[in-house]
């Protein structure tokens, strides 16, 4: 295999190797099932250290383009072939472009969350409301947990660092560099109790009661709930097919001088939209012009089916962006291990707030997450999860095309867990939800994702259900929508 390298370029050698092999795969020069050169053979061929080749292959594996077979080497996956159907579909979303400044707050995030928790107790319920991934790879959990416990047994009887264990922070920093191109160190990382705590800490740091803050409309309902309790005045900038309406954002940055922009740039919750590199650069430019910090919440990054542009934090040269990620959506929610990336003057202040909040994240759960990464199980689990999600994503889209009325519109996300469904304005959404519930299909109104609790009629559907439940649930929902639209 011939791989030309530019050894004087700024791009690391392992990424140049990755890019070349990726091009060979996506162009069809390397077919699904074809074996890549051994690590030793490729290292000798391109005259690099074997560790460089290992890093390149690891990134390709994390992207789902190749898979490692024990004792046999690395092979091209069916990942690209599977994406053919995905690329043929496009979003039909056409939301009204109206800025929302709520005078009152709407439906409760807490009510919808508790309904979803309750639904887990009934195995016959098809729950399309939750944001939970489905269990997989549990056979490794006990073994990994035992190994993790032996490594931290001596520190279980003392308090830990508020910013998190150094080993895990270093691993997360390396993972962000390899996967996202986000060059940070362990000293820029704070381990949190899931991304929800990271949101609370960041909002508490950047905002005070009465401040203006920008959010997308719709946006993550948990963030709306926190801002409401804090007494923050929210400006909801409408979403377009490619992300937040930047023209309207510019207008309200100038007129209201908000203290923070909250955005989900990759696999947006609830719409599933991933913004382009151009959109991200323009957003950073506006934030720099008005010196407005950005909170980038990318809880679903890592579940993308195709590579996404680098996070906003990669483009941040002014320490304006705080980045949030989590293992709750990619590994398991019960671990409650998330993280935030902060740089410059903000880091130490955020650590102090974290210390006052809860001292530190559980030593045990940090150790389990660390062992998953160190053993390679996390990377393999993530590849497996993306493959499963891709099948379920495609089936839900196919089922919606088959069973939903033609007047219904939806997004076509590049991964994650959600599809956002826009319904005609006259749809009696509460009646639809009630009728679905009587047939054991749990759906939630999209209104909770709008700052004013109103918005246009919509649904956020989770495609992490089994294939059987997805098809049956969408069929039932389709019949109900046809009766009411």
């Amino acid at each position: 295999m011939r791989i030309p390298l530019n050894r004087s370029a700024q791009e690391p050698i392992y990424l140049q190797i990755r890019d070349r092999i990726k091009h060979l795969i996506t162009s069809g020069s390397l077919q699904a099932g074809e074996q890549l050169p051994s690590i030793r053979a490729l290292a000798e061929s391109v005259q690099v250290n074997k560790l460089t080749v290992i890093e390149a292959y690891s990134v390709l594996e994390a992207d789902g383009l190749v898979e490692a077979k024990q004792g046999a080497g690395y092979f091209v996956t069916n990942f690209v072939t599977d994406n053919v159907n995905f690329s043929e579909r496009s979003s039909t979303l056409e939301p009204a472009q109206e800025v929302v400044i709520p005078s009152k707050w709407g439906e409760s995030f807490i009510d919808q969350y508790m309904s979803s928790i309750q639904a887990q107790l009934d195995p016959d319920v098809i729950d399309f409301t939750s944001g939970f991934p489905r269990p997989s790879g549990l056979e490794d959990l006990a073994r990994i947990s035992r190994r993790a416990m032996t490594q931290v047994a001596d520190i279980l009887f003392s308090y830990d660092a508020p910013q998190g264990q150094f080993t895990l922070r270093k691993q997360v920093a390396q993972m962000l560099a390899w996967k996202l191109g986000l060059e940070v160190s362990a000293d820029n990382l704070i381990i949190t109790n899931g991304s929800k705590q990271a949101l609370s800490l960041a909002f508490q740091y950047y905002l005070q009661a009465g401040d203006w803050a920008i959010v997308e409309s719709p946006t993550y309902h948990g963030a709306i709930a926190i801002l409401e309790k804090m007494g923050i005045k929210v400006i909801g900038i409408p979403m377009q097919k490619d992300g937040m309406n930047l023209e309207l954002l510019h207008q309200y940055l100038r007129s209201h001088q908000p203290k923070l922009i909250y955005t989900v740039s990759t696999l947006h919750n609830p719409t599933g939209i991933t913004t382009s590199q151009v959109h991200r650069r323009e957003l950073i430019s506006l934030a720099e012009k008005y010196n407005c910090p950005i909170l980038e919440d990318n809880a679903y990054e890592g579940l993308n089916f195709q590579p996404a542009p680098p996070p906003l934090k990669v483009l941040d040269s002014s320490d304006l962006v705080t980045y949030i990620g989590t293992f709750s959506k990619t590994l398991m929610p019960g671990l409650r291990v998330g993280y935030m990336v902060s740089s410059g003057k903000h880091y130490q202040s955020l650590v102090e707030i974290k210390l006052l909040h809860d001292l530190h994240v559980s030593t045990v759960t940090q150790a389990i997450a660390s062992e998953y990464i160190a053993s390679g199980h996390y990377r393999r689990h993530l590849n497996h999860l993306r493959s499963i999600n891709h099948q379920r994503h495609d089936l839900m889209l196919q089922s919606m095309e088959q069973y939903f009325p033609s007047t219904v519109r939806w997004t076509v996300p590049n991964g994650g867990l959600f599809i956002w469904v826009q319904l005609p304005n006259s749809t009696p959404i509460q009646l639809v939800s009630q009728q679905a519930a009587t047939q054991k299909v749990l759906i939630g109104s999209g209104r909770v994702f709008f700052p004013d609790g109103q918005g246009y009629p919509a649904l956020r559907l989770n495609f992490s259900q089994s294939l059987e439940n997805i098809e049956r649930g969408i069929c039932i929902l389709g019949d109900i929508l046809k009766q009411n639209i």
Side-chain angles (χ1 to χ4, degrees), residues 116-127 437 440 469:
S116 185
I117 293 296
Q118 189 67 28
Q120 296 180 59
L121 303 177
D122 187 344
D124 296 326
V125 169
I126 301 174
D127 179 14
K440 297 281 191 175
N469 280 352

Side-chain angles (χ1 to χ4, degrees), residues 92-271:
T92 57
L93 186 71
E94 291 184 357
Q97 295 300 291
E98 298 176 358
V99 173
V100 174
I101 301 180
S103 57
K104 61 181 182 64
W105 297 90
E107 298 181 40
S108 170
F109 157 76
I110 296 172
D111 290 342
Q112 188 174 95
Y113 177 82
M114 294 306 297
S115 295
S116 185
I117 293 296
Q118 189 67 28
Q120 296 180 59
L121 303 177
D122 187 344
D124 296 326
V125 169
I126 301 174
D127 179 14
F128 285 141
T129 68
S130 71
F132 309 130
R134 295 300 161 188
S136 65
L138 295 180
E139 64 277 2
D140 299 319
L141 177 59
R143 183 174 68 256
I144 290 172
S145 299
R146 285 195 299 269
R147 197 157 57 220
M149 283 292 290
T150 61
Q151 295 173 4
V152 296
D154 58 333
I155 59 173
L156 286 177
F157 295 92
S158 60
Y159 290 122
D160 212 335
Q163 65 266 45
Q165 295 172 6
F166 177 77
T167 299
L168 178 57
R169 287 187 286 123
K170 184 177 179 180
Q171 289 171 320
V172 173
Q174 292 172 339
M175 183 176 68
L176 293 174
W178 291 345
K179 291 172 57 179
L180 307 179
L182 180 52
E183 299 288 345
V184 294
S185 71
D187 293 333
N188 301 124
L189 265 293
I190 302 173
I191 304 300
T192 60
N193 278 292
S195 59
K196 191 73 161 40
Q197 184 188 51
L199 281 181
S200 296
L201 297 176
F203 285 151
Q204 183 180 344
Y205 173 67
Y206 285 110
L207 299 168
Q208 296 180 5
D211 286 343
W212 288 102
I214 296 280
V215 303
E216 290 147 336
S217 181
T219 191
Y220 170 47
H221 52 341
I224 294 175
I226 297 173
L227 294 171
E228 176 189 2
K229 292 297 182 184
M230 290 180 61
I232 305 303
K233 295 186 291 186
V234 169
I235 303 168
I237 303 296
M239 290 288 284
Q240 299 173 308
K241 288 183 180 180
D242 60 346
M244 188 193 308
N245 186 317
L246 295 180
E247 183 178 341
L248 290 173
L249 172 64
H250 190 183
Q251 176 183 331
Y252 281 83
L253 282 171
R254 183 172 59 246
S255 63
H256 285 66
Q257 299 178 332
K259 297 294 180 65
L260 183 69
I261 299 170
Y262 170 67
T263 183
V264 185
S265 60
T266 299
L267 301 173
H268 177 262
N269 182 7
T271 67

